[in-house]
Amino acid sequence: MKTKKTAPKTILKIFSIAIAMLLIAGIGLPAFSENTSPPTQVIIGALFDLSGDWSSLGESSEVALDIALKDVQSYLSRIGSAMKVKLTVEDTAGNPLLALEKLKGLAEQRVKVVIGPQSSAEVEAVKEYADKNNILVISQGSTAHSLAIEQDNILRFCPDDVSEGQIIAQLMWQEGIRAVVPIWRDDAGNKGLYVAMKKYFEAGGGLVLDGVSYHPTSKDFSREVALLNSQTNQAMARYGLNAVGIYAAAFNEIASILQQASLSTNLSYVRWYGSNGIALSSALLSNSQAAQFAMKSGFPCPVFGLDKRARDKWEPLSEKISARIGRGVDAFTLAAYDAFWVAILTYATVGNTDDFNTFKQALLETAASYYGTTGWTALNDAGDRKEYNYDFWGVEEQQGSFQWERVAQYQFDPDSPAKIIFMPSSHLPPLKILIVNSYKDWKLEKDIQGGIIEGLRRKGYRENSDYELKTFSMDSKITYTTTKEIEERASIVFSIIEEFKPSIIFVNNDNALKYVAVEYTRRHPESQLPFVFSGINLDPSIYQPISSLGEPKGPITGVLERHPYYQAFSFAKRIFPDASNIVLLADHSPSSDFVVQDFKERYLEKVTNSPLEVVDFIQIETFDKWKEIILKYQEKVDIIGIENYHQIRDANGKVVPASQVLAWTIQNSKIPELGSVGSYVEDGVLLAMGPSYYKSGIYAGIIGGEILQGSAPGGIAIVDPGVVETAFNLERAKMLEIEIPIKELVQADEISLHLRKTHS
């Protein structure tokens, strides 16, 4: 960096003598020249975010300066110097206006050097005042390229966002990303990172979508996440799952963003990339849902990195800081430590001069010759760091807690192009398991998944310890219901398989079996990738890869779902001894088609002593027809059997929410309902008996464990485990003025106390 006025020759001579002695005591400390008169007291100011959105860096920087102060005082004592050093730290809370007020307060104390502020928005706010009042501001964290201005009083011991944007773009392209959907905090630093990333990624041939920005004071990100999800869906449709990434430039609010993003299917299955303001965020680690999401989505976050050549300097200091803050330390933090030493060395070299330009030039030359914990601290003409490295940090789980781990490095090399080198990770489980659900947020599939995990545990496989788990919901019951849409969802699963490379795949319910397991096996006849299914109503041997139920032979096996009609009718008869008949209702979904046919073949044509007479088994397509049938049978039957109601459509062909179908039913019917699935009571069905999905899941998990231990799936018979569960809704019982026997309540697997609130 150039100034209009240079130091006098006498001062430069003294300065040169001091610099020649910078290697004393490891870090490089000068002895005072006899020609200088060091000041009796030096006050170094510091402006850190200790309570705002980037407090993680503020906290670590404060600890670093506390250690630096003790190191300096120890050194001054050893050399017999009378100079006293005082450190004044102010909390800016990340607020630019507050940072300016705090700087003015330091100026009243005649502070000449201030370390911080750390964010570009704060630096931008204090710049004019610092320039006018001869204060050197040394930021350890500001990266906005817009602040790279020659001959001002802003110095930055870190590289600007142009270099970080170039490196993160390089990483994304290197990992096969061709379309990026960005989300960024709309302040100087984070916007600058987004702009730089976009410039370099598009220069390399990639596409950056419009993305989403948000105000720095935002707390609710539901709108932004919804927009991000929509754009990600568009990108996936064009480029495919593996080629789409999300780039986030943010601070601690990323925890809230990731927590909301974890609820979205699309956002959960693309790779995420972060920025320096996110790396080492303690707020993210303390939000387990966000941390889990960050870990599963990759989320490498680049940050100004450590120089391996200076390891003997930064490692001991990093250990001291880490011991006090309980997490890893980045180069931003160590830059604050180095800035403190450069300031003190400048005072020691120049002496008690009142010439600001002389002092400034001396500090620049001290920085140019100083080799500290971050390596060489030389600055360019804009006052920003000239040489830099980058570390990529990612969230990983070890021994039940989340923590930041260095996952890759970018090492600066002036003689050859730098490369991104990934670090080996020895603690990740070697096995990978994928669970594909046909539906989304259905209790029965959650029960199956929980059972699978338990079944695997019973075979000695523990989640996170022995295997990495990934799940995907096809959402083919409500949102993606046409054959084309379901096939598109299946294609996403195929991309996940290609990228994730699972050891085994569990497919739950009919669509996941047909469109994923069967289709993948058909496309890859040479593949030995095993599939284990659960919750299957139809006869799976209709599919070519499955030879027979007794001996599947191929890579697919699993657990059938067969409704216990006789047991269910007997159960209803116990509750209603005077009941004599029942009408069964179902929608027109493919699974219901099979159930109706199966009921006729397995029950109507074979059972002669049914506890209840089945008046009819009616399949219904529209909500209007459903209402008509419910009202029609009010005086004709004793019980209404609810087989399936999740594909009832309105006049426009749109699926009516299942809870809305049942809400209307219980408000307009005085006939007790018998559901075929236990979770139906949550929508208001009076009583239910059906397969126990949790126990079926355990069965499937045990089968999976046997396959992982060497058993061939083709030799494991496909069976109905015959496990059932019962459930009641007591609010519906109260509504119908029915008292459930205590014995039945005690033996029930599920009791619902309320009716679900819905909007018609």
Side-chain angles (χ1 to χ4, degrees):
M1 181 175 183
K2 299 175 182 177
T3 56
K4 294 181 179 179
K5 186 174 181 180
T6 58
K9 292 182 179 179
T10 304
I11 296 298
L12 286 177
K13 180 179 179 181
I14 297 169
F15 172 79
S16 300
I17 295 172
I19 290 301
M21 303 181 68
L22 283 178
L23 297 179
I24 295 176
I27 291 179
L29 310 173
F32 292 116
S33 168
E34 60 183 9
N35 294 324
T36 63
S37 176
T40 57
Q41 177 171 283
V42 171
I43 303 177
I44 303 294
L47 298 176
F48 296 151
D49 177 358
L50 301 176
S51 58
D53 288 333
W54 202 6
S55 56
S56 54
L57 176 57
E59 177 191 12
S60 60
S61 296
E62 183 180 31
V63 172
L65 289 200
D66 181 62
I67 295 173
L69 177 63
K70 291 181 173 61
D71 289 345
V72 164
Q73 290 172 336
S74 175
Y75 169 68
L76 294 175
S77 176
R78 289 200 311 271
I79 66 173
S81 171
M83 186 172 75
K84 304 298 181 184
V85 179
K86 178 182 178 182
L87 172 65
T88 300
V89 179
E90 297 288 352
D91 179 14
T92 68
N95 186 317
L97 295 179
L98 183 58
L100 177 58
E101 290 304 311
K102 296 288 187 178
L103 180 65
K104 291 179 179 178
L106 292 174
E108 293 176 357
Q109 301 176 50
R110 301 179 63 82
V111 172
K112 189 181 297 184
V113 178
V114 174
I115 300 173
Q118 63 203 55
S119 76
S120 295
E122 295 170 282
V123 172
E124 187 176 43
V126 305
K127 172 179 161 46
E128 182 178 0
Y129 185 86
D131 288 344
K132 289 181 178 179
N133 291 274
N134 291 338
I135 299 173
L136 280 181
V137 170
I138 309 177
S139 176
Q140 84 281 35
S142 166
T143 63
H145 184 63
S146 58
L147 293 171
I149 302 171
E150 295 186 25
Q151 300 186 20
D152 64 0
N153 289 345
I154 303 299
L155 308 178
R156 298 188 291 186
F157 272 37
C158 59
D160 70 14
D161 51 31
V162 170
S163 57
E164 182 177 326
Q166 183 178 11
I167 290 165
I168 193 66
Q170 178 182 332
L171 175 63
M172 290 190 290
W173 189 267
Q174 181 176 314
E175 293 195 331
I177 301 299
R178 297 297 179 262
V180 174
V181 186
I183 179 170
W184 69 95
R185 177 185 174 112
D186 196 10
D187 60 24
N190 288 292
K191 183 177 181 180
L193 288 169
Y194 151 69
V195 170
M197 178 279 299
K198 176 180 172 69
K199 172 185 175 182
Y200 286 102
F201 192 76
E202 291 186 337
L207 171 70
V208 178
L209 280 75
D210 292 339
V212 185
S213 65
Y214 57 89
H215 194 273
T217 60
S218 296
K219 301 298 180 183
D220 178 14
F221 301 97
S222 54
R223 172 185 170 275
E224 286 78 7
V225 170
L227 291 173
L228 195 67
N229 182 66
S230 176
Q231 292 188 36
T232 301
N233 193 38
Q234 295 173 24
M236 288 169 60
R238 180 176 175 184
Y239 289 90
L241 173 68
N242 292 334
V244 177
I246 294 176
Y247 172 72
F251 290 144
N252 283 345
E253 69 275 4
I254 191 64
S256 297
I257 294 172
L258 294 186
Q259 182 175 357
Q260 293 187 40
S262 68
L263 304 177
S264 165
T265 300
N266 290 335
L267 300 182
S268 298
Y269 288 101
V270 295
R271 281 168 287 179
W272 284 62
Y273 299 84
S275 61
N276 64 69
I278 297 171
L280 301 174
S281 167
S282 56
L284 195 159
L285 295 183
S286 63
N287 185 321
S288 59
Q289 190 174 349
Q292 184 78 18
F293 180 85
M295 182 179 70
K296 290 188 174 182
S297 60
F299 210 42
C301 300
V303 67
F304 170 38
L306 301 172
D307 187 341
K308 62 183 180 182
R309 296 167 297 183
R311 188 183 187 94
D312 61 332
K313 299 182 184 300
W314 57 255
E315 190 168 55
L317 177 60
S318 296
E319 290 174 352
K320 288 181 181 179
I321 300 173
S322 293
R324 291 174 59 174
I325 66 175
R327 62 178 186 276
V329 176
D330 60 15
F332 283 142
T333 299
L334 300 182
Y337 180 92
D338 284 349
F340 189 89
W341 268 110
V342 168
I344 296 301
L345 294 175
T346 302
Y347 275 111
T349 303
V350 176
N352 198 22
T353 179
D354 291 327
D355 189 325
F356 177 74
N357 283 333
T358 295
F359 181 85
K360 179 179 176 181
Q361 181 65 24
L363 190 144
L364 290 172
E365 297 196 27
T366 301
S369 302
Y370 181 74
Y371 188 74
T373 61
T374 58
W376 293 109
T377 58
L379 306 178
N380 61 24
D381 288 346
D384 297 336
R385 195 178 193 94
K386 183 181 293 185
E387 296 184 7
Y388 51 82
N389 305 293
Y390 277 91
D391 291 332
F392 289 85
W393 293 81
V395 176
E396 297 184 0
E397 187 174 15
Q398 295 189 39
Q399 299 178 342
S401 64
F402 294 104
Q403 53 190 294
W404 288 100
E405 293 285 343
R406 192 179 291 111
V407 296
Q409 288 183 320
Y410 175 98
Q411 200 73 34
F412 179 84
D413 186 345
D415 298 322
S416 63
K419 295 181 180 179
I420 299 172
I421 302 172
F422 285 88
M423 320 273 294
S425 185
S426 59
H427 61 272
L428 289 178
L431 294 176
K432 294 183 177 182
I433 293 176
L434 174 63
I435 297 179
V436 181
N437 294 311
S438 293
Y439 314 137
K440 182 182 180 182
D441 297 331
W442 274 37
K443 182 179 182 299
L444 66 88
E445 288 192 327
K446 292 179 181 179
D447 288 346
I448 292 175
Q449 183 168 312
I452 290 171
I453 294 171
E454 171 61 20
L456 288 167
R457 188 191 67 80
R458 295 184 185 186
K459 294 297 293 183
Y461 297 99
R462 297 162 298 171
E463 184 181 1
N464 296 324
S465 176
D466 299 303
Y467 65 88
E468 179 182 355
L469 177 66
K470 184 183 284 289
T471 63
F472 181 83
S473 296
M474 296 179 69
D475 195 7
S476 62
K477 200 71 168 179
I478 304 297
T479 307
Y480 308 99
T481 59
T482 68
T483 298
K484 181 180 179 182
E485 290 173 334
I486 297 173
E487 288 174 345
E488 289 175 349
R489 298 297 287 174
S491 68
I492 295 177
V493 179
F494 299 151
S495 296
I496 294 173
I497 294 172
E498 180 181 346
E499 178 185 358
F500 185 57
K501 295 179 174 55
S503 307
I504 190 171
I505 301 176
F506 293 88
V507 289
N508 298 331
N509 285 300
D510 300 281
N511 285 340
L513 170 62
K514 177 180 179 180
Y515 292 96
V516 175
V518 173
E519 181 61 20
Y520 183 88
T521 303
R522 185 190 67 79
R523 294 186 184 187
H524 305 276
E526 77 292 345
S527 173
Q528 298 301 312
L529 180 61
F531 291 85
V532 179
F533 60 75
S534 299
I536 302 303
N537 288 305
L538 50 72
D539 180 355
S541 64
I542 64 173
Y543 299 122
Q544 188 176 2
I546 301 173
S547 179
S548 67
L549 298 183
E551 190 177 5
K553 291 188 177 180
I556 304 174
T557 188
V559 181
L560 298 172
E561 175 188 319
R562 294 293 179 260
H563 291 290
Y565 295 109
Y566 190 91
Q567 290 174 267
F569 294 164
S570 298
F571 167 60
K573 186 74 172 178
R574 292 200 306 269
I575 308 300
F576 304 104
D578 296 332
S580 62
N581 59 14
I582 184 172
V583 62
L584 302 179
L585 307 181
D587 56 29
H588 249 299
S589 62
S591 59
S592 292
D593 292 344
F594 175 81
V595 168
V596 172
Q597 184 62 33
D598 180 67
F599 175 76
K600 292 178 180 178
E601 295 175 357
R602 283 200 308 118
Y603 195 84
L604 284 184
E605 296 176 3
K606 294 182 179 181
V607 177
T608 58
N609 60 337
S610 177
L612 294 172
E613 176 192 356
V614 180
V615 175
D616 202 352
F617 199 148
I618 306 171
Q619 285 188 269
I620 303 170
E621 190 162 352
T622 67
F623 196 18
D624 287 340
K625 188 65 176 179
W626 178 278
K627 295 176 180 178
E628 178 186 326
I629 295 297
I630 292 292
L631 296 177
K632 174 182 177 181
Y633 280 91
Q634 290 299 297
E635 305 298 332
K636 295 183 178 182
V637 295
D638 299 315
I639 300 174
I640 295 177
I642 307 292
E643 177 62 38
N644 203 344
Y645 54 98
H646 296 79
Q647 289 281 289
I648 302 297
R649 300 177 181 272
D650 61 20
N652 297 318
K654 184 178 180 181
V655 174
V656 179
S659 57
Q660 186 176 330
V661 173
L662 259 296
W664 182 92
T665 302
I666 63 176
Q667 290 297 326
N668 293 277
S669 175
K670 298 180 180 180
I671 307 299
E673 308 86 11
L674 171 65
S676 63
V677 177
S679 61
Y680 286 4
V681 299
E682 296 182 2
D683 281 340
V685 167
L686 173 64
L687 66 156
M689 173 180 276
S692 171
Y693 293 98
Y694 178 71
K695 293 176 182 177
S696 295
I698 292 176
Y699 199 99
I702 291 174
I703 291 175
E706 292 179 353
I707 293 171
L708 291 173
Q709 291 171 358
S711 297
I716 300 176
I718 298 170
V719 299
D720 171 16
V723 288
V724 299
E725 63 181 5
T726 60
F728 296 95
N729 186 302
L730 297 188
E731 184 68 20
R732 178 59 170 160
K734 181 180 179 181
M735 186 178 181
L736 294 174
E737 299 181 348
I738 295 171
E739 186 172 346
I740 308 297
I742 294 177
K743 180 180 179 181
E744 299 290 348
L745 292 176
V746 171
Q747 295 177 345
D749 296 277
E750 181 178 351
I751 299 292
S752 181
L753 301 178
H754 305 286
L755 297 176
R756 191 191 299 272
K757 294 182 179 180
T758 62
H759 300 284
S760 58

